[in-house]
Amino acid sequence: MNMRFLETFVWLAKLRNFRLTAEKLHTTQAAVSSRIAALEQELGVRLFERGDRAVTLTLDGSKALAFSERLVRTMHEMQGSLKNRELYTGVIRIGVIESIIHSWFPQLMSRIHGSYPQLEVELSGDTTIKLIEQFGKGHLDLILHTDHVLGPGVQNLPLCAFPMCWVGARSLQLHGERLTLQDLAHFPVLSFSRNSGPHRFLELLFSERVGTRVHINCMTSVSAMVRLVVDGFGVAMLPPAIIQRELGEGAIEMLRTDTHMPDMPLVCSLRGGETPLIHEIATLAQQTAQDFASDLPAHVARLPSATDAADPWAIPVRTG
């Protein structure tokens, strides 16, 4: 049933005049007459008695008016609710890696709460590998991570990129030295979770440049890895964006090395057929990440570019 026809019916019942109803609805008298005729034909009853100057409701018209008013009122309430973000309710399930949690995710949560105060966020913090697995099973609405998800209907929005560098505790007294991979191999090496992009890159890097197998300590917890670096247990390849406090306090320092590290790309993956709300949250995540990158030096965070590779960890190692 055409809601525009019902709204025309309600206003004609109130104003009892075709000309006034046409003016109210910003249309013509002929359009009003056509809508009422179509509605009467669809309902199979006569809604109005036509007079010379006014129209009056028939008995069936009076009965139909009560239902029509409820339908039109409900439609207006629904439209108003959809236009008012503050009335959005429900739960959105977001998966996010720790590197984002320790950088710009708090700002994203503030923006989500500011735009959708009634919306509940169900957060799953995990590795990229685990998040993609949960996303594939339909357990997460969108994920903020490091890899492109392949599959029909999946969208991957570029967020920003985190340059990577070698870091170690100041207590290791490596400040100012230009270190080779052989130098770094003398320390316990800490890395992200096993089979992640950074872990695969480091295994290949040490295999090709050092020749002997270097034991790499894999960590699923970024917080634990940072803690071990602060305590001087070993060295790690980390994005400065997630250790700003430790760098500022002097607990960790960036090391000079003879090897170029690829950037860590950050991506938001979601299904193309999701609700408009999910797409709005994804856009909000993209805006937050890019605002974060714009406020920092290029060696800490940068905006994505068209030349970024889907898998930067597969890029051949460059020396510098």
Side-chain angles (χ1 to χ4, degrees):
M1 186 172 293
N2 192 310
M3 294 300 297
R4 186 176 57 177
F5 292 180
L6 287 178
E7 188 171 26
T8 302
F9 167 51
V10 169
W11 277 110
L12 183 57
K14 289 180 179 180
L15 300 176
R16 301 176 63 188
N17 183 281
F18 280 91
R19 180 181 59 80
L20 294 178
T21 301
E23 291 176 358
K24 176 67 181 179
L25 298 177
H26 305 289
T27 187
T28 64
Q29 295 185 49
V32 171
S33 180
S34 176
R35 293 174 191 178
I36 297 302
L39 187 60
E40 288 178 327
Q41 183 175 5
E42 184 175 357
L43 295 175
V45 296
R46 190 173 180 81
L47 298 173
F48 292 100
E49 296 291 349
R50 275 75 165 171
D52 292 335
R53 294 189 176 183
V55 295
T56 57
L57 286 168
T58 64
L59 185 60
D60 287 327
S62 297
K63 186 186 298 184
L65 179 62
F67 290 100
S68 298
E69 287 176 330
R70 286 201 296 269
L71 288 170
V72 171
R73 183 168 57 250
T74 300
M75 179 189 68
H76 288 162
E77 289 174 354
M78 179 184 69
Q79 291 174 335
S81 176
L82 293 176
K83 290 178 181 178
N84 188 350
R85 290 181 171 183
E86 294 185 358
L87 299 180
Y88 273 99
T89 60
V91 177
I92 181 171
R93 303 165 301 171
I94 302 177
V96 58
I97 58 172
E98 270 196 85
S99 293
I100 294 177
I101 292 176
H102 290 292
S103 52
W104 50 266
F105 191 73
Q107 291 96 309
L108 175 59
M109 286 294 291
S110 295
R111 290 185 176 187
I112 292 175
H113 180 70
S115 297
Y116 310 96
Q118 303 300 322
L119 189 66
E120 295 180 26
V121 176
E122 189 175 287
L123 178 64
S124 295
D126 216 322
T127 64
T128 286
I129 295 173
K130 293 290 184 63
L131 292 178
I132 292 177
E133 179 183 340
Q134 293 302 306
F135 178 76
K137 293 178 179 178
H139 297 164
L140 297 171
D141 298 313
L142 59 85
I143 53 177
L144 310 174
H145 61 129
T146 62
D147 293 349
H148 281 69
V149 177
L150 302 179
V154 177
Q155 295 183 7
N156 296 285
L157 302 180
L159 299 173
C160 64
F162 284 172
M164 305 283 282
C165 72
W166 285 98
V167 296
R170 189 170 290 274
S171 60
L172 296 179
Q173 298 182 345
L174 299 174
H175 181 72
E177 296 187 39
R178 186 173 178 83
L179 305 170
T180 65
L181 285 176
Q182 287 83 357
D183 295 328
L184 294 172
H186 287 103
F187 298 91
V189 176
L190 307 175
S191 175
F192 291 92
S193 59
R194 187 169 302 279
N195 296 322
S196 64
H199 172 249
R200 288 186 280 107
F201 175 81
L202 288 181
E203 280 200 323
L204 179 62
L205 181 67
F206 280 110
S207 174
E208 291 186 349
R209 297 284 298 279
V210 178
T212 58
R213 190 176 188 278
V214 175
H215 180 66
I216 300 175
N217 302 276
C218 296
M219 306 266 170
T220 57
S221 169
V222 173
S223 298
M225 179 162 46
V226 173
R227 183 71 259 173
L228 288 172
V229 173
V230 169
D231 290 344
F233 173 76
V235 295
M237 185 179 72
L238 286 171
I242 71 173
I243 51 172
Q244 289 295 285
R245 185 185 65 182
E246 290 80 5
L247 288 169
E249 294 173 349
I252 293 178
E253 62 182 355
M254 292 186 286
L255 306 178
R256 294 179 62 228
T257 69
D258 65 349
T259 305
H260 172 82
M261 299 292 109
D263 292 349
M264 173 189 287
L266 300 179
V267 179
C268 174
S269 298
L270 69 157
R271 301 171 192 84
E274 286 288 6
T275 64
L277 175 62
I278 303 299
H279 286 269
E280 287 187 25
I281 298 297
T283 300
L284 202 58
Q286 189 176 49
Q287 293 171 348
T288 304
Q290 295 183 3
D291 287 345
F292 178 84
S294 298
D295 291 338
L296 291 171
H299 73 276
V300 177
R302 66 171 183 79
L303 297 173
S305 67
T307 59
D308 286 343
D311 184 10
W313 314 110
I315 296 176
V317 179
R318 295 174 292 173
T319 58

